[in-house]
Amino acid sequence: MTGAITFMRWAALFGVALVLAGCGREEAPPVQDIEEAARPGPVLVVTGEGERLRFASFNALVSWLDGIEDQPLAITLAPGEYRLRAPLRLPSRSSLTGSGQGVTVLIARENMDSVVANRDPEGGNSAITLSGFSVDCTRRARHGLLLIRTSALHIERVEARRCRDTGVRVSGHGEITRGTVLEAVSAHNNDGHGIVIMWATRNARYSNLYASGNGQTGIVIDHSEGSAVNLQADGNRQDGIFIRNVFAVTATNLVATRNGRHGIYVQGMVASAGASWTAQGNSRSEAGAHDELHFTADDTLSYGRTRNSVIHGVVLGAYINGLGEPTARHGLYIAPEITALEIAGLAFEPVLDTPQGP
């Protein structure tokens, strides 16, 4: 009996010990994260080696980036306004992530060529991601975002405004540069174009772009081998959407309204396709001078005149109940020199002259 009691006591004690040991594992305090010891600041940088750095100001980050060699970096910005005295130049394999458009705002406080750019526009960079912030050039910066020869570029949920030239400019600058992705990018009230993708950019995919109130054209597609979906241009001083010197491009769900000149202007669309284009209430700068959708005969660019292309589903002309009285000359103008273009599924609202030009 005594042995049984002793065993039960040991078993009870051992069981209690197991329970206590288990509780100890669950309630043990976590290992102190290195972030706890980092100096406070609204800018966090994580390097490819896992080092965490905090900067008290955005300008401190800019200076630090200019002095380091290329390496993988993840930069995170807290909500707030960041006032820049010099542009942020990002190396390859880096990301800049804010807390959202209008929540994290980069503000130019000095004259500069761009607010955000890649580090090596001549040699090129790769794998740069920009997301979740607004850029306010305050008429001091020429461009909001300027990415030259940057392959595997990803821009999403970014806004650019009040730039002296272009809000967002992406260019291969004559060198084939592949893999650009733009998603939910907007540009408004810039003195030049709103959003431009151009000059030897290839395999670009972009969707949900919006350009309004810009001093020149809202959205410029000036590259080949790409696809565009859900582009809207409203109230820009010149053309709404300009498709310029392209081949192997598909453009779907384009909407151009209340722009100063042509709604959608096409120069040299070769071996490409479009679907669901709407252009209404354009030619606001001079009533009767411009068209809702205009195909020019200009063949001076490298791919020549528009040919071997198809567009399905086009609605043109002013919807009087929503856009007011018509201001465009024609709904559709195709230069007579263009003979290899197919447009199917046309609908017209009122215009000042005729739906179809000569």
Side-chain angles (χ1 to χ4, degrees):
M1 185 70 177
T2 303
I5 294 173
T6 302
F7 174 79
M8 292 176 62
R9 286 177 178 173
W10 278 107
L13 289 171
F14 185 66
V16 171
L18 287 176
V19 171
L20 291 175
C23 290
R25 282 195 299 271
E26 293 177 357
E27 297 176 1
V31 177
Q32 186 179 36
D33 192 279
I34 192 170
E35 183 180 1
E36 298 287 339
R39 62 192 179 95
V43 181
L44 170 65
V45 177
V46 180
T47 69
E49 297 179 349
E51 183 182 12
R52 303 171 72 94
L53 305 171
R54 283 191 177 269
F55 295 86
S57 72
F58 199 86
N59 290 299
L61 169 68
V62 168
S63 298
W64 179 77
L65 280 175
D66 285 344
I68 66 170
E69 296 182 356
D70 277 14
Q71 58 180 294
L73 299 172
I75 304 167
T76 304
L77 306 178
E81 295 183 346
Y82 298 81
R83 301 176 184 276
L84 285 74
R85 296 191 297 269
L88 177 73
R89 299 183 179 91
L90 290 167
S92 297
R93 299 174 297 159
S94 63
S95 66
L96 176 67
T97 304
S99 301
Q101 293 184 38
V103 181
T104 296
V105 185
L106 310 184
I107 301 173
R109 302 310 301 165
E110 304 286 347
N111 291 331
M112 58 187 75
D113 190 56
S114 60
V115 176
V116 178
N118 60 302
R119 172 180 283 184
D120 187 1
E122 292 299 323
N125 292 104
S126 64
I128 292 177
T129 298
L130 309 171
S131 63
F133 59 87
S134 295
V135 169
D136 189 343
C137 293
T138 64
R139 309 289 179 222
R140 292 183 174 92
R142 182 182 175 194
H143 306 289
L145 274 60
L146 180 63
L147 286 306
I148 307 297
R149 296 178 179 170
T150 305
S151 61
L153 170 68
H154 196 139
I155 305 174
E156 64 175 8
R157 297 178 293 110
V158 170
E159 169 199 30
R161 65 193 187 220
R162 299 201 298 168
C163 299
R164 288 188 287 109
D165 196 335
T166 307
V168 178
R169 182 180 291 266
V170 176
S171 175
H173 202 67
E175 295 285 340
I176 299 297
T177 305
R178 299 187 184 277
T180 292
V181 176
L182 275 69
E183 167 63 26
V185 175
S186 61
H188 61 91
N189 299 109
N190 300 289
D191 293 342
H193 303 308
I195 302 169
V196 179
I197 306 98
M198 63 179 296
W199 200 7
T201 297
R202 293 287 188 272
N203 306 116
R205 295 93 69 201
Y206 35 95
S207 59
N208 301 315
L209 307 188
Y210 177 57
S212 67
N214 296 290
Q216 296 183 28
T217 295
I219 300 171
V220 180
I221 302 172
D222 187 11
H223 69 92
S224 297
E225 298 179 65
S227 61
V229 181
N230 297 340
L231 275 54
Q232 294 198 23
D234 179 75
N236 299 285
R237 187 171 298 175
Q238 295 184 3
D239 304 317
I241 299 171
F242 185 9
I243 300 174
R244 182 181 187 271
N245 199 41
V246 306
F247 72 86
V249 163
T250 62
T252 306
N253 295 350
L254 309 187
V255 178
T257 52
R258 288 178 284 259
N259 297 288
R261 298 196 315 200
H262 304 299
I264 302 173
Y265 181 53
V266 183
Q267 180 184 2
M269 182 177 178
V270 177
S272 295
S276 301
W277 290 12
T278 299
Q280 298 180 340
N282 295 290
S283 193
R284 290 299 176 97
S285 63
E286 185 180 354
H290 307 285
D291 307 318
E292 305 288 16
L293 172 56
H294 184 103
F295 288 86
T296 178
D298 190 324
D299 62 356
T300 57
L301 300 177
S302 58
Y303 303 136
R305 188 174 293 134
T306 293
R307 64 187 184 278
N308 300 337
S309 294
V310 178
I311 301 167
H312 289 280
V314 179
V315 179
L316 306 167
Y319 181 63
I320 295 176
N321 291 335
L323 293 167
E325 295 298 318
T327 50
R329 176 183 54 182
H330 304 306
L332 171 64
Y333 176 85
I334 303 174
E337 296 86 347
I338 297 173
T339 58
L341 170 67
E342 178 184 334
I343 300 181
L346 279 161
F348 293 100
E349 292 288 331
V351 290
L352 291 179
D353 200 336
T354 58
Q356 167 70 63

